[in-house]
Amino acid sequence: MSAKAWATMNAVDIITKKKDGKILSPEELEYMVMGYTRGEIPDYQMSALLMAIVLNGMTREETVRLTEIMRDSGEVMDLSGIKGIKVDKHSTGGVGDKTTLIAAPIAAAAGVPIAKMSGRGLGFTGGTVDKMEAIPGFRTSMTREEFINSVNTGGIAVIGQTGRIAPADKKIYALRDVTGTTQSLALITSSIMSKKLAAGSDAILLDVKCGRGAFMKSEEDARQLAEWMVEIGNAAGKKTMAVISDMNQPLGRAVGNALEVIEVMDVLKGRGPADITELSLTLAGGMIMLGGFANTMEEGHAKAVSLVEEGKALEKFREFVAGQGGNPHITEDYTILGKGRHILEVKADRDGLVTGLDAMAIGLASQHIGAGRARKDDAIDMTAGIILNKKIGDKVNKGDVLCTLMGNDSIKIETGAAEAMGAYELGSDAPEKNRLIKQIIE
Ligand code: URA
């Protein structure tokens, strides 16, 4: 944009235009996004624009342009130093979603090079980087050379989004997390795809969540998000596909960073909960197919199952942890991950069946007891989290433990327990079964 065009724009006019439901020009989007990234536009003006976007939406063209501006706000990684088809995976965010830490080592064990950048928790959802940091010693940042060498030698490296990759998204993501502006088709599409396109992999597998604990509540909204992202990815020359999966209740039984790492290892040992196991194997199968090690998703899935059964996936996870400075003995000794000082059980006040388990309410309870952030620079209590002793369809008797909260702040745990209790719906009629994997969009 010319300096003259830049000088004639101002943030208030642009915010007002979006507040009035009008379409922003590429120049206006660039003015706001780049101005904010450089620190020329303050948090309060960017927050106002984000809220106007959440409320009034953006067209597909505005979203494509926003994605490109955010992608080009920093470096676009060159991963040509890594041999093979590099496959990336990204989840739109859920509660108890630890699939990256399961599917990525499985795909790496099949021979797919994984050079992945992951995010931190956002709002009520968890993030892979926070989970990895629950492992003592684990480094989530590396130099570019270390990153490429790790993939070339061990087949897998997962790091946090560096400040060089899509810095506009990094800054806006952190602001959205604390301003109630996470739930927007356009903002989620541009946030995810700007990073994925800048991160340099050749193929992208997206896990688009839908339901109460997802940003997209309905299957229709999830499908639209999946289609926009798949289209943007393919148009940019990356083979992109999406799996739409259920997020009405949390995935697996563990929510919270250290607890989720334990569940990851249980799944890799073949003894994890059925839902998280099934979704992780499907995603791993997709990654194996995109990486050229299977002709179909089914063949990829079967390979993923064998790699877990043969112990090769767990072995790859151990190598991955050690390669990034973490303690590999966690696979045999879970106590290395530490334990919260306070434990509180939430018990059923009557007999019945669990007919609903609100994933968002559990995500919020977990955030409030210390597993997530309320402010941008809040520290996380890695031991804080919730074990879901009962899930949808389980029978309960009065006094049975529904869930168990743990962490280091007893007062927060007391309030979190009330929230967690509110997440459970008990009834007498068997609930309708929700399909875990709803659709695959290629
Ligand atoms: N994940 C992202 O990276 N960005 C979003 O906006 C939501 C989920």
Side-chain angles (χ1 to χ4, degrees), residues 90-93 122 169 173 176 182 187-188 191-192 195 215:
H90 197 93
S91 155
T92 57
L122 181 67
D169 173 64
Y173 188 91
R176 286 170 57 215
T182 49
L187 294 179
I188 298 175
S191 164
I192 293 178
K195 295 187 278 250
F215 293 121

Side-chain angles (χ1 to χ4, degrees), residues 297-315:
M297 289 276 288
E298 293 69 33
E299 198 185 316
H301 185 282
K303 273 204 173 159
V305 171
S306 311
L307 290 162
V308 171
E309 281 171 1
E310 291 159 10
K312 291 186 179 153
L314 182 69
E315 187 47 40

Side-chain angles (χ1 to χ4, degrees), residues 123-154:
F124 58 90
T125 67
T128 302
V129 171
D130 295 330
K131 298 183 217 290
M132 294 192 300
E133 287 180 355
I135 302 172
F138 198 103
R139 284 189 307 131
T140 55
S141 64
M142 289 182 185
T143 64
R144 184 202 326 247
E145 290 66 35
E146 282 176 312
F147 182 57
I148 291 183
N149 283 344
S150 292
V151 185
N152 275 333
T153 50

Side-chain angles (χ1 to χ4, degrees), residues 102-114 154-157 287-288 307 312 316:
I102 304 168
I106 299 177
V112 180
I114 307 289
I156 174 168
M287 293 171 83
I288 293 170
L307 290 162
K312 291 186 179 153
K316 185 53 79 181

